[in-house]
Amino acid sequence: MSHDVSFLDDLDVDGETSTSSGTLESHAADWGTPDGEGVAPDAVVYPESTGDVSRVLAAASDRGVPVTPYAAGTGLEGNAVPVDAGVSLDLSRMDAVRDVRPGDFQMDVEPGVMGSAVDDRAGEDGLWFPPLPSSGDISTIGGMIATDAGGMGTVKYGEVSDWLVRLEVVLADGTIVETGTRAVKSSAGYNLTELVVGSEGTLGVVTEATLELDGRPRQVRGGRAVFETLDDAAAAVTDAVQSGVDVAKLELVDETSARMANAYTGTDLPDAPTVFVEFHADHGVDEEVRYCREVFDAHDPLRFEIAEDGDGMDELWQARRDLAFAIRSYDPDLTPLHPGDVTVPISEYGTIVRYAKRLAAEHDVVVPCFGHAGDGNVHYSVLVDATDADAVERGERVYKQIVEKAIDLGGTSTGEHGVGRGKRQYLERERGPGAVDAMRRVKRALDPDGILNPGKILPED
Amino acid sequence: MSHDVSFLDDLDVDGETSTSSGTLESHAADWGTPDGEGVAPDAVVYPESTGDVSRVLAAASDRGVPVTPYAAGTGLEGNAVPVDAGVSLDLSRMDAVRDVRPGDFQMDVEPGVMGSAVDDRAGEDGLWFPPLPSSGDISTIGGMIATDAGGMGTVKYGEVSDWLVRLEVVLADGTIVETGTRAVKSSAGYNLTELVVGSEGTLGVVTEATLELDGRPRQVRGGRAVFETLDDAAAAVTDAVQSGVDVAKLELVDETSARMANAYTGTDLPDAPTVFVEFHADHGVDEEVRYCREVFDAHDPLRFEIAEDGDGMDELWQARRDLAFAIRSYDPDLTPLHPGDVTVPISEYGTIVRYAKRLAAEHDVVVPCFGHAGDGNVHYSVLVDATDADAVERGERVYKQIVEKAIDLGGTSTGEHGVGRGKRQYLERERGPGAVDAMRRVKRALDPDGILNPGKILPED
C-alpha cells in the first residue's frame, strides 16, 4: 500500500529525500529477498544526523506512515525491505566515527559506518573490533546491531552485542534516548541496549553506538584439516569444543561446499569435508595448535596443515573465504533458496548436519552446508532449478524441515541474521506463544502506532 | 499498607505460606536496608515449583497485591524488601540443579541455588561458572540474575548476564515463558533474557536459568602489589588495563581499607594502597605476570609479591577477601551508610577515587574505597557516628556526591548491585528522562497491574 509521504517536504531535515524510481527500486530488496517479492518504499530519506532521524520518525508517527531502516542491504531475511511501502530510512550517510577513546577501548560510531572501517580505525591505536563478521567490508555496524550479528570469531569473542557499551536510539515518537553509560558494566535499570540489539529497527533506530574494542592478539596461527567423512569432521569440531581447545575460529565446510569452493578458486583441496581453524593468543599459541591437532587426530584427518605466516594462512583459508561467492556462481541453472543459518547446541552439531545431508539426498536437491561450527552454527542453501516447480517445492520443504529440526534440537531458527520476514513463521515454534506475546507487548509499548519496520520479526497477530 | 492475602490459602500451591511474625520480620530487610526502614510483608510464600510461582502471581495480579521476590537477602539496595507489604515470594527452596549438560557447557538451575553450589557442581565435570561474585557462598543465582551481578572476575569474564543462555520466567499474570534456546547464540526476536536480567523481579520472576560454564583455567597465579600513594596504585591499575595485561582479577584497596583489613586480620601488610592481582591462562601465565610487573614497576611499588602456589595466594589475598567484614567490625562507634558501588570508565578511575578521598577529608568522615578496579568499579562506604546527626548529614552528602560524580564522569550509579530503592533517585540523572520513560513503558506492558516488586528501580512517576 502506498502512503502519502509529502510531509517529508515540509520537515526541517538536512538529509536528502529521493523519490526517483531507481532509488526506490534499489531499496526494495536485500540479499535475501527473492526476485519480485520486494516492495519499494514511497520515498527514501538519507538522514545526516540524529536530529534528522528524530524529525522523520516523529512526523511519521503522527501520520502512521511506516518507516523501514536501511543501510547496506546485505541482510538475508528481508530485514530492511518494506512490506508496506512508506519511508525507507537509509542511514548509509551517517557513517562518521564520532569519537575514539583508546584509553577506554571505546569508539562512538554512527550506524552507517562499514564494519571494516571501524576495524581499520581501531587499528590506528593497535586495537580491533573482535566480533566483526566476515561480511564486515560490505555491511554496516548498524545492520550488525539490528540483527545481533555474529561471525567466525563468535566462538571465542561472542556476538556484536557483547561488544556494545551503549546506544543512542531514536524511538518511534522521535524521542532520543541513551541506553547505557560509558562504564563497562552497569546494573542501573532495564537493559535497553540489549533490547534494541537484534530488534531490526522495529523498536527504535540506532543513531550512535559505543563499541568496545580490544588489543590485537599478539599471536595468530591458522590452517585447516581435511577429513574423509562429514561424520569425522563434525565429531572433530564437537570434540575440540568439548575438550576446551581455545580456538578463535572453527569453521566446517562440507564436501558439497568444498566442491563448489574448489571449482571457484581452483585450489588443490580435495572435495572433502574440511575444518578451518584459527588461534589467537598472547602466549603459547603453538601449544594450543598442538592440543587441537591431538584432538583432531582421534578423528583421522587426511591432512592437518597450519601456516607458518599470515600469507600462508590466507592461502589455506581461501576456500572458506570465497565460499559465499562460490555457491552463488556454482551452477547458472541452480538458484539458492533463502540462504541463512540455524544454530544448535554443540552436542547436536553432528545431528543437524547429517539431517541436512540426508534430506538433500532424499529430495534430490543440492544443499551445501558450512558455517561457524564452533558455535553450533550451520549456514546452508538449498539450490534448485528455479524453472522446475516440483524442485522448488521440494527445496522449500527441505529448507523448512532443517529449520524445524534445529528448533526441535533445542536450537534456534536464526543464529545471526535475524528474523526479518523470512523466519517469522518459526518464532512461535521456537519461543512459544507466551514469549511471542511478551515481545508483542514490548513492541506496542515502544511503538504504539506500529510505524517501525512493520511486518518483521513478530508473526501476524 | 497491609493487603488481604487470604487468597493464598485457597491456592493449589505445594509450597508453604507463613504469616508468623518472625518470618515476616526476617523478610523486612536486606544487607542494605537501614535499621527501621524495612517494611514487612503480609505473608511469605515459599514456592517449590514453577507452577507454584505461576499460581501465586496470577492470583496476586487479579487482586492487585504486590509480590516481592526474595531469596538470600544479601542485596545492598533494598532490592528484595517490600515497600508496600503484600507477598514476599521466597525462592530459597527452589534450589535444585535441574540438569547438567557438560558436553554443551550448560547447567539448568532453579533461582534459589547458591552460587557456590553451582560452581561445586560444575567442578564435578572439570568446569566452573566464571562470573561468580565473591559473595557466591552467601547469595543465590536468582539474586545475581536479578541485579546482573558482577565481581572480581568481571574484568576478564564479564558479568552474570554474559553467562546466561536462557531463562524460564513467570510474568506478572502467571504466564510461563522461555526467553531463549539452548544454542549459544540466537538472533530470533527481542532479547527477553537480557531484558529480565537486572530487572530485580519487577518484570517477571525467574524460575530456571540455563547457565553457560567453562573449562577451568589450567594455570592460576596471583599476588599483590603495595604502593606508596593512592595515585600510584590507581595509575598502575589504569595502566595495566590500558596496556592490555590479561588479568582475571584486578582489585584496589585504598589505605583506609588496608588499615581496616590489617586490624581485622592481623596481617603484616603496611596500611598502604594495595592492588591485588590474579591471572588465569592455559599457557604462559608466568609471561603475563612478568608483563604486569613491568607495567606496575613504572609506578614504583613498595612490594610486588606473587605466590608460588594456591595456599600462598590465599594468604596474600586474605586482606582483600575479608574486607567486607573488616569494614563492618572496624569501629563499633561508626556505622556504614549505604555500602554500594559506582563504576566509571577506566580512564576516570583515578579521578573518582581521588574525588572520594578529598570529600572524605573535607567533610571529616571515614570513606574506605576498594573494588573491582579493572572494571572501573569502586565500592565505598561512608562511616559515621550514627548518633551524631551532623555527621550523618555530612555522610549522606558525601555518599550522594560520589554517586553524582561517577555519573558525570560517564559512569553509572550502580555497577553490580542494582537500583533497588537506594539508587532510584539517580536513574534519571544517569540515563535521562527519555530512557526512564521507555523503561516505564516496558514495565507497564509486562506488568500492567504493577504488582511485581513495586517501588523499585523506576523513580516515582
Side-chain angles (χ1 to χ4, degrees):
Chain A
M1 182 177 112
S2 178
H3 295 266
D4 178 1
V5 292
S6 59
F7 69 91
L8 293 169
D9 299 332
D10 304 323
L11 290 184
D12 180 22
V13 164
D14 292 325
E16 185 196 350
T17 295
S18 169
T19 54
S20 84
S21 62
T23 302
L24 300 183
E25 212 45 55
S26 69
H27 289 72
D30 66 6
W31 283 25
T33 308
D35 282 349
E37 287 194 16
V39 173
D42 299 305
V44 177
V45 180
Y46 296 87
E48 290 183 2
S49 66
T50 302
D52 276 2
V53 173
S54 171
R55 285 182 284 274
V56 171
L57 292 194
S61 260
D62 284 346
R63 291 159 183 83
V65 174
V67 178
T68 301
Y70 186 95
T74 51
L76 293 184
E77 302 294 353
N79 322 65
V81 179
V83 298
D84 183 29
V87 177
S88 176
L89 191 71
D90 188 326
L91 294 146
S92 55
R93 295 184 193 170
M94 283 182 68
D95 64 349
V97 172
R98 289 184 177 175
D99 192 22
V100 186
R101 295 179 296 282
D104 285 323
F105 291 65
Q106 290 178 2
M107 186 188 293
D108 300 335
V109 301
E110 293 183 339
V113 68
M114 303 305 281
S116 50
V118 164
D119 210 45
D120 290 346
R121 180 62 190 81
E124 292 176 23
D125 294 297
L127 303 173
W128 69 313
F129 185 57
L132 197 68
S134 37
S135 61
D137 50 350
I138 50 171
S139 60
T140 64
I141 289 289
M144 294 172 202
I145 293 171
T147 53
D148 193 9
M152 293 192 191
T154 299
V155 64
K156 183 176 173 74
Y157 300 107
E159 296 148 85
V160 167
S161 59
D162 296 315
W163 296 82
L164 292 176
V165 181
R166 67 177 261 291
L167 300 173
E168 178 188 81
V169 178
V170 182
L171 301 180
D173 62 6
T175 310
I176 301 164
V177 305
E178 293 194 54
T179 65
T181 74
R182 295 195 160 92
V184 295
K185 70 181 183 188
S186 171
S187 58
Y190 306 150
N191 196 332
L192 299 179
T193 305
E194 292 275 6
L195 182 61
V196 168
V197 175
S199 69
E200 305 181 21
T202 64
L203 299 179
V205 176
V206 173
T207 47
E208 182 181 304
T210 297
L211 311 178
E212 276 195 283
L213 308 171
D214 203 357
R216 289 184 184 260
R218 296 169 215 159
Q219 302 179 320
V220 176
R221 299 292 301 277
R224 68 187 178 201
V226 179
F227 293 87
E228 196 166 337
T229 70
L230 188 62
D231 279 356
D232 290 334
V237 163
T238 306
D239 201 1
V241 173
Q242 294 180 338
S243 306
V245 177
D246 183 15
V247 278
K249 300 179 183 174
L250 180 56
E251 300 282 315
L252 182 137
V253 164
D254 75 353
E255 63 272 40
T256 311
S257 308
R259 191 172 63 239
M260 294 174 177
N262 292 335
Y264 183 79
T265 59
T267 55
D268 67 338
L269 215 58
D271 293 346
T274 306
V275 176
F276 295 82
V277 287
E278 193 171 303
F279 303 87
H280 299 173
D282 287 338
H283 314 286
V285 77
D286 289 330
E287 293 168 62
E288 209 60 46
V289 171
R290 258 197 305 279
Y291 182 39
C292 182
R293 181 190 289 262
E294 199 180 293
V295 171
F296 276 18
D297 274 349
H299 306 279
D300 300 318
L302 303 173
R303 312 185 187 177
F304 185 101
E305 304 161 279
I306 295 290
E308 289 306 310
D309 56 26
D311 285 348
M313 193 166 82
D314 284 351
E315 206 181 305
L316 289 177
W317 268 76
Q318 192 186 352
R320 172 65 189 89
R321 219 175 27 249
D322 295 342
L323 194 55
F325 303 99
I327 291 172
R328 282 173 173 239
S329 59
Y330 175 60
D331 181 338
D333 292 336
L334 294 182
T335 305
L337 296 173
H338 326 295
D341 83 295
V342 294
T343 302
V344 296
I346 191 70
S347 60
E348 302 290 5
Y349 189 69
T351 313
I352 190 71
V353 175
R354 277 191 297 272
Y355 181 81
K357 306 315 291 183
R358 184 165 63 76
L359 277 189
E362 275 176 23
H363 295 273
D364 190 25
V365 290
V366 179
V367 180
C369 289
F370 62 101
H372 318 315
D375 308 331
N377 167 279
V378 185
H379 282 73
Y380 66 101
S381 288
V382 181
L383 276 73
V384 296
D385 175 353
T387 63
D388 175 349
D390 183 66
V392 171
E393 202 220 302
R394 279 182 281 124
E396 293 283 0
R397 208 157 57 225
V398 166
Y399 178 83
K400 186 162 185 280
Q401 285 178 322
I402 295 174
V403 178
E404 291 178 348
K405 181 73 172 181
I407 293 171
D408 295 346
L409 291 171
T412 177
S413 58
T414 173
E416 55 184 47
H417 296 109
V419 176
R421 285 191 73 186
K423 296 276 173 79
R424 286 169 84 200
Q425 60 177 309
Y426 304 106
L427 193 64
E428 191 160 310
R429 183 187 186 112
E430 177 176 326
R431 299 300 173 94
V436 171
D437 181 61
M439 291 180 196
R440 212 184 290 283
R441 285 196 261 167
V442 169
K443 164 73 174 172
R444 278 198 212 108
L446 295 179
D447 179 19
D449 303 308
I451 64 154
L452 282 172
N453 205 0
K456 306 297 165 58
I457 298 184
L458 295 164
E460 300 284 352
D461 227 337
Chain B
M1 184 176 110
S2 178
H3 295 266
D4 179 2
V5 291
S6 60
F7 70 91
L8 293 169
D9 300 332
D10 304 324
L11 290 184
D12 179 22
V13 164
D14 292 325
E16 185 197 350
T17 294
S18 170
T19 54
S20 84
S21 61
T23 302
L24 300 182
E25 213 44 55
S26 69
H27 289 71
D30 66 4
W31 284 24
T33 309
D35 282 348
E37 286 193 18
V39 173
D42 299 304
V44 177
V45 180
Y46 296 88
E48 290 183 1
S49 66
T50 303
D52 276 3
V53 173
S54 171
R55 285 182 285 274
V56 171
L57 293 193
S61 259
D62 284 347
R63 291 159 182 83
V65 173
V67 177
T68 302
Y70 187 94
T74 51
L76 292 184
E77 303 293 352
N79 322 65
V81 179
V83 297
D84 184 27
V87 177
S88 176
L89 191 73
D90 188 327
L91 295 145
S92 55
R93 296 185 193 170
M94 284 182 67
D95 63 350
V97 172
R98 288 184 177 174
D99 192 22
V100 185
R101 295 179 296 282
D104 284 324
F105 291 64
Q106 289 178 3
M107 187 188 292
D108 299 336
V109 300
E110 292 183 340
V113 69
M114 303 304 283
S116 50
V118 164
D119 209 45
D120 289 347
R121 180 63 190 81
E124 293 176 24
D125 294 297
L127 304 172
W128 68 313
F129 184 57
L132 197 68
S134 35
S135 62
D137 51 351
I138 50 170
S139 60
T140 64
I141 289 289
M144 295 173 201
I145 293 170
T147 54
D148 194 8
M152 293 192 192
T154 299
V155 65
K156 183 174 172 75
Y157 299 107
E159 296 148 85
V160 167
S161 59
D162 295 316
W163 296 81
L164 292 175
V165 180
R166 69 177 259 292
L167 301 173
E168 178 189 82
V169 179
V170 182
L171 300 181
D173 63 4
T175 310
I176 301 163
V177 305
E178 293 195 53
T179 65
T181 73
R182 294 195 161 90
V184 296
K185 69 182 184 186
S186 170
S187 58
Y190 305 150
N191 195 332
L192 298 179
T193 305
E194 293 276 5
L195 182 61
V196 167
V197 175
S199 69
E200 305 181 22
T202 65
L203 300 180
V205 176
V206 173
T207 47
E208 182 181 305
T210 297
L211 311 177
E212 275 194 285
L213 308 170
D214 203 358
R216 289 184 185 261
R218 295 168 216 159
Q219 301 178 322
V220 176
R221 298 292 302 277
R224 68 187 179 201
V226 179
F227 293 87
E228 195 166 338
T229 70
L230 189 63
D231 279 356
D232 290 333
V237 163
T238 307
D239 200 1
V241 172
Q242 293 180 340
S243 305
V245 178
D246 183 15
V247 278
K249 300 180 183 172
L250 181 56
E251 299 283 314
L252 183 135
V253 164
D254 74 354
E255 63 273 38
T256 310
S257 308
R259 192 171 63 240
M260 294 174 177
N262 292 335
Y264 182 79
T265 59
T267 56
D268 67 337
L269 214 60
D271 293 346
T274 307
V275 176
F276 295 82
V277 288
E278 192 172 303
F279 303 88
H280 298 173
D282 287 338
H283 313 286
V285 77
D286 290 330
E287 292 169 63
E288 208 59 44
V289 172
R290 257 198 305 279
Y291 182 38
C292 183
R293 181 191 287 264
E294 199 181 293
V295 171
F296 276 18
D297 275 349
H299 306 281
D300 299 319
L302 303 173
R303 311 185 188 178
F304 187 103
E305 302 161 281
I306 294 291
E308 288 306 310
D309 56 27
D311 287 346
M313 194 167 82
D314 284 351
E315 207 180 306
L316 289 176
W317 268 76
Q318 192 187 351
R320 172 66 190 90
R321 217 174 30 248
D322 295 341
L323 195 54
F325 302 100
I327 291 174
R328 283 175 171 234
S329 60
Y330 175 60
D331 182 337
D333 292 336
L334 294 181
T335 306
L337 296 171
H338 326 295
D341 83 293
V342 295
T343 301
V344 297
I346 192 69
S347 60
E348 302 290 4
Y349 189 69
T351 313
I352 189 70
V353 175
R354 277 192 296 273
Y355 182 79
K357 306 314 291 183
R358 184 164 65 73
L359 276 189
E362 275 176 23
H363 295 273
D364 191 24
V365 290
V366 179
V367 180
C369 289
F370 62 100
H372 318 315
D375 308 331
N377 167 279
V378 185
H379 281 73
Y380 66 101
S381 287
V382 182
L383 276 72
V384 296
D385 176 352
T387 64
D388 176 348
D390 184 66
V392 172
E393 203 221 300
R394 279 182 282 125
E396 293 283 1
R397 209 158 56 227
V398 166
Y399 177 83
K400 186 161 185 280
Q401 285 179 322
I402 295 174
V403 178
E404 291 178 349
K405 182 71 172 181
I407 294 170
D408 295 346
L409 290 171
T412 177
S413 58
T414 174
E416 55 185 47
H417 296 110
V419 176
R421 285 190 73 187
K423 296 279 173 77
R424 287 167 83 201
Q425 60 177 307
Y426 304 106
L427 192 64
E428 190 159 311
R429 184 187 186 111
E430 178 176 326
R431 299 301 173 95
V436 171
D437 181 61
M439 292 181 198
R440 213 183 289 284
R441 284 196 262 167
V442 169
K443 164 73 174 172
R444 277 197 213 109
L446 295 180
D447 178 19
D449 302 308
I451 64 152
L452 281 172
N453 206 0
K456 306 297 165 58
I457 298 184
L458 296 164
E460 301 284 353
D461 227 338

